[in-house]
Short mmCIF file of all heavy atoms in Angstrom, two decimals:
data_model
loop_
_atom_site.label_atom_id
_atom_site.label_comp_id
_atom_site.label_asym_id
_atom_site.label_seq_id
_atom_site.Cartn_x
_atom_site.Cartn_y
_atom_site.Cartn_z
N GLY A 2 0.78 21.35 9.72
CA GLY A 2 0.85 22.29 10.85
C GLY A 2 0.35 21.49 12.14
O GLY A 2 -0.50 20.62 12.09
N PHE A 3 0.94 21.96 13.23
CA PHE A 3 0.57 21.26 14.52
C PHE A 3 -0.34 22.25 15.37
O PHE A 3 -0.13 23.45 15.21
CB PHE A 3 1.82 20.92 15.34
CG PHE A 3 2.63 19.76 14.72
CD1 PHE A 3 3.80 20.06 14.13
CD2 PHE A 3 2.17 18.51 14.80
CE1 PHE A 3 4.52 19.03 13.60
CE2 PHE A 3 2.99 17.46 14.27
CZ PHE A 3 4.07 17.77 13.70
N SER A 4 -1.17 21.75 16.09
CA SER A 4 -2.09 22.61 16.95
C SER A 4 -1.21 22.93 18.16
O SER A 4 -0.09 22.44 18.37
CB SER A 4 -3.32 21.74 17.36
OG SER A 4 -2.91 20.74 18.23
N ASN A 8 2.04 21.05 19.85
CA ASN A 8 3.30 21.80 20.20
C ASN A 8 3.63 21.54 21.61
O ASN A 8 4.82 21.38 21.89
CB ASN A 8 3.18 23.18 19.81
CG ASN A 8 3.31 23.43 18.35
OD1 ASN A 8 3.82 22.59 17.58
ND2 ASN A 8 2.63 24.54 17.87
N ALA A 9 2.73 21.60 22.53
CA ALA A 9 3.05 21.44 23.86
C ALA A 9 3.55 20.03 24.23
O ALA A 9 4.59 19.83 24.93
CB ALA A 9 1.75 21.74 24.85
N VAL A 10 2.98 19.04 23.58
CA VAL A 10 3.46 17.59 23.68
C VAL A 10 4.76 17.51 23.11
O VAL A 10 5.72 16.91 23.77
CB VAL A 10 2.41 16.63 23.07
CG1 VAL A 10 3.02 15.22 22.98
CG2 VAL A 10 1.13 16.64 23.79
N PHE A 14 8.38 16.36 25.06
CA PHE A 14 9.15 15.25 24.82
C PHE A 14 10.55 15.68 24.13
O PHE A 14 11.52 14.88 24.16
CB PHE A 14 8.42 14.38 23.70
CG PHE A 14 7.51 13.52 24.29
CD1 PHE A 14 6.09 13.77 24.27
CD2 PHE A 14 7.83 12.40 25.13
CE1 PHE A 14 5.20 12.93 24.91
CE2 PHE A 14 6.93 11.57 25.73
CZ PHE A 14 5.58 11.83 25.61
N LEU A 15 10.68 16.96 23.81
CA LEU A 15 12.03 17.41 23.34
C LEU A 15 13.03 17.27 24.59
O LEU A 15 14.23 17.12 24.38
CB LEU A 15 11.95 18.89 22.97
CG LEU A 15 11.52 19.11 21.48
CD1 LEU A 15 11.34 20.62 21.24
CD2 LEU A 15 12.66 18.57 20.54
N GLN A 17 12.99 15.04 26.66
CA GLN A 17 13.08 13.62 26.93
C GLN A 17 14.04 12.94 26.01
O GLN A 17 14.37 11.73 26.25
CB GLN A 17 11.84 12.89 26.95
CG GLN A 17 10.66 13.39 27.90
CD GLN A 17 11.20 13.36 29.30
OE1 GLN A 17 11.72 12.44 29.81
NE2 GLN A 17 10.98 14.52 30.10
N ALA A 21 12.08 10.17 21.79
CA ALA A 21 10.73 10.52 22.23
C ALA A 21 9.95 11.48 21.25
O ALA A 21 8.89 11.31 20.91
CB ALA A 21 10.77 11.12 23.58
N PHE A 24 9.06 9.48 18.23
CA PHE A 24 7.81 8.62 18.57
C PHE A 24 6.55 9.54 18.51
O PHE A 24 5.48 9.15 17.88
CB PHE A 24 7.95 7.97 19.91
CG PHE A 24 6.72 7.37 20.41
CD1 PHE A 24 6.36 6.07 19.87
CD2 PHE A 24 5.92 8.00 21.35
CE1 PHE A 24 5.18 5.58 20.35
CE2 PHE A 24 4.74 7.40 21.74
CZ PHE A 24 4.41 6.17 21.30
N LEU A 28 3.47 9.14 15.95
CA LEU A 28 2.15 8.80 16.52
C LEU A 28 1.08 9.89 16.03
O LEU A 28 0.06 9.50 15.58
CB LEU A 28 2.14 8.95 18.07
CG LEU A 28 0.78 8.75 18.78
CD1 LEU A 28 0.35 7.33 18.58
CD2 LEU A 28 0.95 9.04 20.22
N VAL A 29 1.53 11.11 16.04
CA VAL A 29 0.58 12.14 15.48
C VAL A 29 0.26 12.00 13.94
O VAL A 29 -0.77 12.08 13.45
CB VAL A 29 1.06 13.61 15.72
CG1 VAL A 29 0.31 14.66 14.99
CG2 VAL A 29 1.09 13.81 17.17
N TYR A 30 1.36 11.63 13.17
CA TYR A 30 1.33 11.48 11.83
C TYR A 30 0.42 10.24 11.40
O TYR A 30 -0.55 10.38 10.62
CB TYR A 30 2.66 11.23 11.22
CG TYR A 30 2.73 10.89 9.78
CD1 TYR A 30 2.57 11.88 8.80
CD2 TYR A 30 2.84 9.56 9.29
CE1 TYR A 30 2.62 11.59 7.47
CE2 TYR A 30 2.85 9.29 7.92
CZ TYR A 30 2.74 10.27 7.08
OH TYR A 30 2.76 9.94 5.72
N ARG A 33 -3.29 10.99 12.12
CA ARG A 33 -3.94 11.89 11.17
C ARG A 33 -4.22 11.09 9.88
O ARG A 33 -5.30 11.22 9.22
CB ARG A 33 -3.11 12.98 10.87
CG ARG A 33 -3.14 14.05 11.94
CD ARG A 33 -2.30 15.30 11.62
NE ARG A 33 -2.40 16.17 12.69
CZ ARG A 33 -1.69 17.36 12.83
NH1 ARG A 33 -0.76 17.57 11.84
NH2 ARG A 33 -1.82 18.13 13.80
N LYS A 34 -3.25 10.26 9.51
CA LYS A 34 -3.48 9.41 8.21
C LYS A 34 -4.66 8.44 8.44
O LYS A 34 -5.38 8.13 7.54
CB LYS A 34 -2.24 8.74 7.86
CG LYS A 34 -1.15 9.53 7.33
CD LYS A 34 -1.53 10.21 6.07
CE LYS A 34 -0.50 11.14 5.54
NZ LYS A 34 -0.92 11.79 4.27
N SER A 36 -7.18 8.88 10.33
CA SER A 36 -8.45 9.59 10.33
C SER A 36 -8.80 9.89 8.77
O SER A 36 -9.97 9.78 8.35
CB SER A 36 -8.31 10.92 10.92
OG SER A 36 -9.44 11.71 10.78
N ASP A 44 -16.81 7.04 2.98
CA ASP A 44 -17.38 7.44 1.70
C ASP A 44 -17.61 6.28 0.81
O ASP A 44 -18.59 6.20 0.08
CB ASP A 44 -16.37 8.52 1.03
CG ASP A 44 -16.35 9.83 1.79
OD1 ASP A 44 -17.31 10.06 2.65
OD2 ASP A 44 -15.30 10.53 1.60
N THR A 45 -16.63 5.31 0.75
CA THR A 45 -16.82 4.16 -0.11
C THR A 45 -17.94 3.32 0.36
O THR A 45 -18.81 2.86 -0.45
CB THR A 45 -15.44 3.37 -0.08
OG1 THR A 45 -14.45 4.15 -0.55
CG2 THR A 45 -15.60 2.13 -0.96
N ARG A 48 -21.17 4.85 -0.82
CA ARG A 48 -21.50 4.53 -2.24
C ARG A 48 -21.99 3.19 -2.43
O ARG A 48 -22.84 2.89 -3.20
CB ARG A 48 -20.31 4.92 -3.08
CG ARG A 48 -19.94 6.29 -3.28
CD ARG A 48 -18.92 6.59 -4.28
NE ARG A 48 -17.75 5.80 -4.16
CZ ARG A 48 -16.61 6.13 -3.61
NH1 ARG A 48 -16.65 7.40 -3.01
NH2 ARG A 48 -15.58 5.43 -3.54
N GLU A 51 -25.57 2.79 -1.36
CA GLU A 51 -26.52 3.27 -2.44
C GLU A 51 -26.74 2.23 -3.41
O GLU A 51 -27.87 2.01 -3.99
CB GLU A 51 -25.88 4.64 -3.04
CG GLU A 51 -26.00 5.76 -2.04
CD GLU A 51 -25.17 6.96 -2.64
OE1 GLU A 51 -24.74 6.79 -3.80
OE2 GLU A 51 -25.02 7.90 -1.89
N LYS A 52 -25.69 1.56 -3.86
CA LYS A 52 -25.76 0.57 -4.94
C LYS A 52 -26.50 -0.65 -4.47
O LYS A 52 -27.06 -1.35 -5.23
CB LYS A 52 -24.45 0.24 -5.48
CG LYS A 52 -23.69 1.41 -6.11
CD LYS A 52 -24.45 2.03 -7.32
CE LYS A 52 -23.60 3.18 -7.87
NZ LYS A 52 -24.38 3.87 -8.97
N ASP A 54 -29.06 -1.01 -2.53
CA ASP A 54 -30.60 -0.87 -2.70
C ASP A 54 -30.97 -1.20 -4.17
O ASP A 54 -32.00 -1.85 -4.46
CB ASP A 54 -31.05 0.45 -2.33
CG ASP A 54 -30.90 0.60 -0.78
OD1 ASP A 54 -30.95 -0.30 -0.11
OD2 ASP A 54 -30.83 1.75 -0.38
N VAL A 57 -30.67 -5.02 -4.71
CA VAL A 57 -31.75 -5.81 -4.01
C VAL A 57 -33.02 -5.64 -4.87
O VAL A 57 -33.77 -6.52 -5.03
CB VAL A 57 -31.97 -5.26 -2.57
CG1 VAL A 57 -33.23 -5.75 -2.05
CG2 VAL A 57 -30.80 -5.70 -1.71
N LYS A 61 -35.16 -8.64 -6.64
CA LYS A 61 -36.51 -8.88 -6.39
C LYS A 61 -37.33 -9.04 -7.76
O LYS A 61 -38.15 -9.85 -7.96
CB LYS A 61 -37.16 -7.77 -5.60
CG LYS A 61 -36.75 -7.89 -4.19
CD LYS A 61 -37.40 -6.66 -3.38
CE LYS A 61 -36.87 -6.71 -1.86
NZ LYS A 61 -37.46 -5.53 -1.16
N ARG A 64 -36.51 -12.43 -9.16
CA ARG A 64 -37.24 -13.42 -8.48
C ARG A 64 -38.66 -13.42 -8.95
O ARG A 64 -39.35 -14.51 -9.08
CB ARG A 64 -37.03 -13.15 -7.03
CG ARG A 64 -37.36 -14.35 -6.16
CD ARG A 64 -37.11 -14.06 -4.69
NE ARG A 64 -35.63 -14.14 -4.46
CZ ARG A 64 -34.99 -13.60 -3.39
NH1 ARG A 64 -35.71 -12.97 -2.48
NH2 ARG A 64 -33.78 -13.72 -3.20
N ARG A 66 -40.03 -12.49 -11.82
CA ARG A 66 -40.16 -13.06 -13.15
C ARG A 66 -40.00 -14.56 -13.15
O ARG A 66 -40.65 -15.21 -13.96
CB ARG A 66 -39.06 -12.42 -14.07
CG ARG A 66 -39.23 -11.07 -14.39
CD ARG A 66 -38.14 -10.55 -15.24
NE ARG A 66 -38.29 -9.10 -15.50
CZ ARG A 66 -37.24 -8.37 -15.90
NH1 ARG A 66 -36.12 -8.92 -16.30
NH2 ARG A 66 -37.43 -7.03 -16.02
N ARG A 69 -43.12 -16.32 -11.77
CA ARG A 69 -44.27 -16.40 -12.67
C ARG A 69 -44.24 -17.53 -13.68
O ARG A 69 -45.23 -18.01 -14.21
CB ARG A 69 -44.30 -15.05 -13.53
CG ARG A 69 -44.70 -13.93 -12.71
CD ARG A 69 -44.80 -12.63 -13.59
NE ARG A 69 -44.80 -11.47 -12.78
CZ ARG A 69 -44.34 -10.29 -13.24
NH1 ARG A 69 -43.98 -10.09 -14.44
NH2 ARG A 69 -44.35 -9.28 -12.49
#
Side-chain angles (χ1 to χ4, degrees):
F3 291 107
S4 70
N8 285 333
V10 170
F14 282 104
L15 275 173
Q17 304 301 316
F24 171 78
L28 178 65
V29 170
Y30 176 79
R33 286 184 180 170
K34 288 297 179 180
S36 178
D44 292 342
T45 302
R48 286 195 309 269
E51 292 169 5
K52 300 299 180 186
D54 293 335
V57 168
K61 286 179 183 177
R64 200 176 281 161
R66 288 181 191 165
R69 289 184 199 158

